[in-house]
Amino acid sequence: MAQPAKGPATEGPCPTQQGDPVSLGKPVDLLDPVHPVPVHPVDEKLPAKRLVPAALQHIAAMYAGVVTPPLIIGQACGLDAAGMTRLIAASLLIAGLATILQTIGLTKFAGNRLPFVNAASSAGIAPMLAIAETSAPGHQLPAIYGAVMVAGVFCLAVGPFFGKLLRFFPPLVTGVVITLIGVTLMPVPVAWAQGGNKEAADFGAMKYLALAAFTLAVILVIQRFGKGFVKQVALLLGMLIGTLAAIPFGMADFSGLKDAPIAALPTPFAFGAPEFQPAAILSLCIVMLVLMTESSAGMLALGKICERDCDGRTITRGLRTDGIATLVGPVFGSFPTSAFAQNVGVVTLTRVRSRYVVAVAGGALLFLGVFPVLGAVVSMVPMPVLGGAGIVLFGSIAVSGIRTLSEAGLDDSSNIILVAVALGAGIIPLAAPTFYADFPAWAQTVLGSGISAGALVAVLLNLFFHHLGTRGRRTPAASVALKSS
């Protein structure tokens, strides 16, 4: 065993030089090495040699998710390469700003000051696609952005009281919604795997399917045999290798890169002034409730992982960040903003709990958003490659929902019926797209989205089975179902 250093503490090297304080489990304030003061791991300022690799892991985990909403929505709205580049840059910029605000904080008003990543959520994709389908050409993005802005105001208004509403969104409800997000989005990567353009003569050609299958196989092989950081970025590596494989066959087009500006700030309202349609607003406010539930659950989980209490005030500040980013995002071209669960997983796996690591990752996203040419590179990825990767990405969302449902007391028949009916209501628009064709326009927007329809049914049935007339006679299974996320 190594002998302790001799002499008084004031002689020789300072205490921070006698070993790695982090590895000893006693983080210190690196700004004052002479008189180190123990700090909480969340507030630890890591040296660059540890901070940069840890931040890169967060960027790798979140990047594909950040660019997914603009890729899908941009394709649905028929944007050209320049428009796609602007959408991606805006999502990266707002994600960076929201993450920095969340981790560093703004006095006592906003920011939960946890290693928490905020960015455009995939949960809003399906309702926004429904809005795009029911809006006239040229009015699709304005209608989406108007609804998103109102959803941001809704989040700011409801956030301070949301803790009291969490009991209406137990794992039984959120599990249904998250599962439906993955299931209802699955036609998107399937269409990408077939070439992306349903009007093209070669849509569904074998060359497209082969490229999508190759990309998926590469991701699976990397996930099976990769280790450490390589395994974490399997999705990105699969997309890179798939794109390189597409070049010799003429299936990759990089002509849009020459027109993309190297550096530029997103232009406010570049896609038109926002339009406020009541049905679209209702649909996205419902989604915002789900996003707030996910964010609250993520903060509670991260608080336990980081061993820092996450009280009501912390959740309120975190939700205010969601609301601010969701309100401001559409000005520049972004979408509803919420927590990224995959980054909570990174904290769990690496045990690096410093919020400054995530703040640096947010700064990197901000940097990427200011340089649209980097977003243009992503938009040039062939559709079949995105299709192969999207099957993994959206499938993993459904798995996350199933995992949540496993905690919801499904051994009780009432809970089984609730989940069955809610999932059925959510899958109707997918199985029969014209089912609501004769309904009013507002009903088509709300019910035409499997996520909104499933969420409404799940909330109503949860009230029916576990709240109305149950005071004083709650069963153990119902108590499990009502347990907060």
Side-chain angles (χ1 to χ4, degrees):
M1 179 180 297
Q3 297 298 318
K6 297 181 180 180
T10 55
E11 296 179 5
C14 67
T16 57
Q17 295 174 324
Q18 294 177 7
D20 181 0
V22 177
S23 64
L24 295 175
K26 299 179 180 179
V28 299
D29 189 348
L30 299 177
L31 298 181
D32 186 10
V34 177
H35 301 93
V37 178
V39 297
H40 195 280
V42 170
D43 301 316
E44 183 184 359
K45 296 180 176 68
L46 299 178
K49 66 180 181 180
R50 293 189 59 203
L51 186 147
V52 173
L56 285 174
Q57 290 183 88
H58 280 281
I59 295 170
M62 77 176 84
Y63 190 83
V66 173
V67 301
T68 294
L71 281 173
I72 296 175
I73 302 300
Q75 290 285 339
C77 295
L79 295 184
D80 57 13
M84 294 290 293
T85 299
R86 285 199 298 268
L87 274 189
I88 293 172
S91 287
L92 291 168
L93 178 73
I94 296 301
L97 290 173
T99 299
I100 293 172
L101 176 60
Q102 193 72 275
T103 52
I104 302 301
L106 179 64
T107 63
K108 295 182 179 180
F109 179 74
N112 57 29
R113 293 177 175 84
L114 291 169
F116 203 70
V117 172
N118 281 75
S121 172
S122 296
I125 292 176
M128 288 188 287
L129 289 176
I131 295 171
E133 290 175 0
T134 56
S135 300
H139 296 269
Q140 297 164 315
L141 283 174
I144 290 172
Y145 286 141
V148 172
M149 294 180 74
V150 175
V153 175
F154 176 74
C155 179
L156 289 172
V158 175
F161 315 101
F162 191 69
K164 297 179 181 179
L165 299 177
L166 278 177
R167 64 195 185 99
F168 299 114
F169 294 87
L172 198 64
V173 173
T174 56
V176 167
V177 174
I178 298 170
T179 302
L180 284 173
I181 291 171
V183 172
T184 58
L185 286 177
M186 196 54 68
V188 174
V190 171
W192 286 349
Q194 294 174 286
N197 184 5
K198 295 182 179 180
E199 306 300 325
D202 61 349
F203 179 74
M206 186 56 67
K207 62 179 181 179
Y208 296 139
L209 299 179
L211 181 58
F214 172 77
T215 303
L216 177 59
V218 169
I219 294 172
L220 294 176
V221 169
I222 295 175
Q223 187 67 32
R224 170 63 179 85
F225 298 104
K227 295 182 179 179
F229 182 73
V230 172
K231 189 173 183 177
Q232 291 179 355
V233 296
L235 203 67
L236 290 177
L237 287 177
M239 293 170 65
L240 174 62
I241 295 172
T243 301
L244 293 176
I247 294 176
F249 300 97
M251 298 169 63
D253 181 13
F254 298 99
S255 59
L257 288 176
K258 62 182 180 181
D259 298 323
I262 296 177
L265 290 174
T267 304
F269 300 117
F271 300 99
E275 300 176 5
F276 302 97
Q277 300 177 4
I281 290 171
L282 176 61
S283 177
L284 283 187
C285 283
I286 292 173
V287 171
M288 200 68 220
L289 282 172
V290 175
L291 295 182
M292 292 167 70
T293 305
E294 290 182 355
S295 278
S296 299
M299 283 183 264
L300 291 170
L302 197 56
K304 292 180 181 179
I305 294 168
C306 296
E307 299 177 355
R308 168 168 282 185
D309 291 337
C310 187
D311 55 17
R313 288 174 296 181
T314 302
I315 291 177
T316 297
R317 293 197 305 269
L319 293 178
R320 281 201 185 109
T321 303
D322 288 357
I324 292 171
T326 301
L327 173 61
V328 176
V331 176
F332 299 99
S334 187
F335 301 107
T337 298
S338 182
F340 262 38
Q342 54 264 53
N343 292 88
V344 176
V346 173
V347 175
T348 304
L349 291 173
T350 63
R351 301 300 298 169
V352 177
R353 294 171 282 179
S354 171
R355 58 191 172 103
Y356 296 103
V357 168
V358 177
V360 169
L365 290 178
L366 179 61
F367 176 83
L368 292 172
V370 175
F371 290 87
V373 67
L374 300 175
V377 172
V378 178
S379 67
M380 296 297 107
V381 176
M383 285 290 106
V385 172
L386 288 174
I391 290 174
V392 177
L393 180 64
F394 299 138
S396 65
I397 295 175
V399 170
S400 178
I402 294 170
R403 184 169 59 240
T404 302
L405 285 173
S406 68
E407 305 170 359
L410 292 183
D411 53 344
D412 180 78
S413 60
S414 297
N415 294 342
I416 293 174
I417 293 296
L418 187 158
V419 173
V421 175
L423 286 176
I427 293 174
I428 285 175
L430 188 65
T434 60
F435 188 84
Y436 299 108
D438 294 330
F439 281 58
W442 65 266
Q444 290 185 41
T445 302
V446 176
L447 299 177
S449 163
I451 297 172
S452 298
L456 277 174
V457 172
V459 170
L460 292 175
L461 289 181
N462 182 53
L463 288 171
F464 177 70
F465 282 117
H466 301 307
H467 289 274
L468 298 179
T470 60
R471 182 176 298 177
R473 59 181 185 84
R474 187 164 291 162
T475 65
S479 298
V480 173
L482 290 168
K483 184 176 63 176
S484 171
S485 300

